[in-house]
């Protein structure tokens, strides 16, 4: 969102309603970020309440990701069938249930059940937040508005650090986990007042309602946009799901799946989830490393704001290329710092600075742009299902990296682990350069048309 756009919103000469709708839907992102971030702090104290084997520990920490993969697997189809808005309402309900179950859990099985339920909600939210916003946003600012969701993911992660900090003295893990109920209620109540996606309405034969939503969210061009949607809907076969395997859709699936996996195997969550441990190994004390972790969380938020300001101006591809390129360089430096013998103050500072730069490059590229692109490049008839498939891959890769990071550092060393992430980033850079399309400023219907007519996606 450019400064001029922000000014317009404040003055009121932009269409405020679409910003309010997008901000409300972006609470999905807040819950996604908060609920993935909160466990690291809560876990320290859960260990005091229950006796656990390492396997159970692993299940509690990673259970949400497995749940999220399951949630994404069904969430996409639910979004296509029930509608985007209804799924957001359901996601908010499931978030509430998961947080409540964890907060009152009398024993480990109930705690695990709560964590899995919470994960399912995270899976739903990770799809439906960007999906809903991208379908309701005007094309010119779709990138900025959809990326509000990622801004809220990063804000949620940061907020979880503060909540952990606030309840840490009391060791109140139940309060930490239960805190997620608050945004869940706000989202459930708020979304009831928001309209359904005009594209989903149109596709389900509710044309007048679609027109009414566009009239509320656009200052002009409503009829042209409706015509475009109508043309697209006419073209699509009514088979829905089988479209997912149509050959013309393959390039878009490859782009989505590739970005989903690269977003994770380049190591962002090794840093987000394990930052204090990494920083301690550079010689920082416990408190300093927790503070530096808050610093990393803050930079993640701030650089996502920068991405939002740029994404509709410089475009998706350029942000990705600069972002992933920067990750290659910072990971190479990180590996080298950890390779050099004997950590002095200087190397500790270089390592911390490189970690922060690495997160910055993620936050201007792969962080927001992955979620944005997968909400843009799929045809309306299977948009939810396709996003679902791609999001399952994202959560699967996330699980893989978070589970293997400690094993990798123990076996091949921290330096090789970072170099490995660096290598993955290098391959990711080539992938982006060759295959990822530019979607800036175009209507979702124009993007779909190119895909149908086999126009090379990356042109
Ligand atoms: C990723 C998450 C990650 C977060 C960090 C999201 O886009 O999907 O896995 O933890 O960004 O900001």
């Amino acid at each position: 969102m450019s400064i001029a756009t922000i000014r317009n919103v404040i003055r009121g000469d932009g269409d405020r309603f679409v910003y309010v709708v997008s901000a409300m839907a972006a609470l999905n992102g807040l819950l996604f970020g908060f609920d993935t971030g909160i466990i690291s702090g809560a876990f320290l104290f859960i260990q005091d309440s229950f006796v656990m084997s390492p396997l159970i520990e692993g299940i509690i920490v990673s259970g949400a990701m497995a749940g999220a993969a399951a949630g994404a697997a069904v969430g996409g189809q639910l979004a296509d069938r029930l509608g985007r808005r209804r799924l957001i309402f359901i996601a908010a309900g499931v978030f509430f249930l998961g947080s409540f179950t964890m907060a009152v859990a009398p024993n480990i099985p109930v705690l695990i059940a709560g964590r899995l339920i919470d994960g399912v909600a995270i899976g739903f939210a990770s799809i439906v937040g960007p999906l809903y916003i991208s379908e309701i946003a005007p094309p010119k600012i779709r990138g900025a508005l959809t990326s509000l969701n990622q801004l809220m993911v990063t804000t949620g992660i940061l907020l979880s650090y503060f909540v952990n900090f606030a309840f840490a003295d009391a060791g109140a893990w139940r309060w930490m986990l239960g805190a997620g109920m608050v945004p869940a209620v706000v989202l459930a109540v708020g979304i009831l007042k928001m309209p359904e996606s005009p594209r989903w309405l149109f596709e389900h034969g509710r044309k007048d309602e679609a027109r009414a939503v566009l009239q509320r969210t656009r200052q002009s061009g409503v009829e042209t946009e409706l015509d475009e949607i109508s043309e697209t809907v006419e073209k699509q076969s009514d088979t829905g799901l089988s479209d997912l395997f149509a050959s013309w859709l393959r390039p878009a699936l490859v782009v989505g799946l590739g970005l989903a996996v690269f977003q994770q195997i380049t190591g962002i969550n090794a840093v987000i989830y394990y930052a204090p441990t990494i920083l301690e190994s550079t010689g920082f004390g416990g408190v300093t490393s927790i503070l530096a972790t808050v610093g990393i969380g803050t930079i993640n938020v701030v650089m996502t704001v920068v991405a939002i300001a740029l994404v509709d101006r410089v475009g998706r591809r350029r942000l990705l290329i600069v972002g992933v390129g920067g990750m290659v360089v910072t990971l190479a430096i990180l590996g080298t710092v950890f390779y050099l013998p004997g950590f002095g103050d200087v190397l500790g500072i270089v390592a911390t600075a490189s970690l922060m730069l690495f997160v910055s490059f993620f936050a201007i590229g792969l962080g927001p742009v992955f979620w944005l692109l997968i909400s843009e490049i799929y045809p309306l008839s299977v948009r939810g299902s396709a996003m679902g498939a791609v999001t399952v891959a994202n959560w699967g890769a996330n699980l893989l990296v978070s589970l293997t990071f400690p094993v990798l550092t123990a076996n091949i060393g921290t330096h090789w682990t970072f170099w490995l992430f660096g290598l993955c980033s290098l391959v990711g850079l080539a992938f982006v350069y060759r295959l990822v399309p530019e979607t800036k400023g175009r209507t979702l219907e124009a993007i779909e048309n190119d895909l149908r007519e086999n126009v090379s996606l990356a042109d």
Side-chain angles (χ1 to χ4, degrees), residues 32 36 150 153-154 157 263-264 268-269 272-273 300 304 362-363 366-368 370-371 394-395 398:
F32 163 175
T36 47
Q150 171 70 10
V153 172
T154 57
I157 294 174
Q263 199 208 34
Q264 297 298 327
I268 184 62
N269 286 317
I272 300 276
Y273 302 159
N300 198 7
T304 309
F362 173 84
L366 273 177
F370 160 65
W371 294 107
N394 185 261
W395 285 109
N398 186 337

Side-chain angles (χ1 to χ4, degrees), residues 1-16 19:
M1 198 178 332
S2 68
I3 302 295
T5 323
I6 296 171
R7 215 179 291 131
N8 283 348
V9 180
I10 296 167
R11 282 208 206 116
D13 41 356
D15 196 332
R16 275 192 202 155
Y19 292 93

Side-chain angles (χ1 to χ4, degrees), residues 198-217:
R199 289 179 164 77
W200 185 86
L201 285 170
F202 198 102
E203 211 217 346
H204 285 76
R206 295 158 63 177
K207 298 182 187 167
D208 293 340
E209 288 169 72
R211 174 178 285 110
V213 175
L214 285 178
Q215 278 162 349
R216 283 184 81 188
T217 50

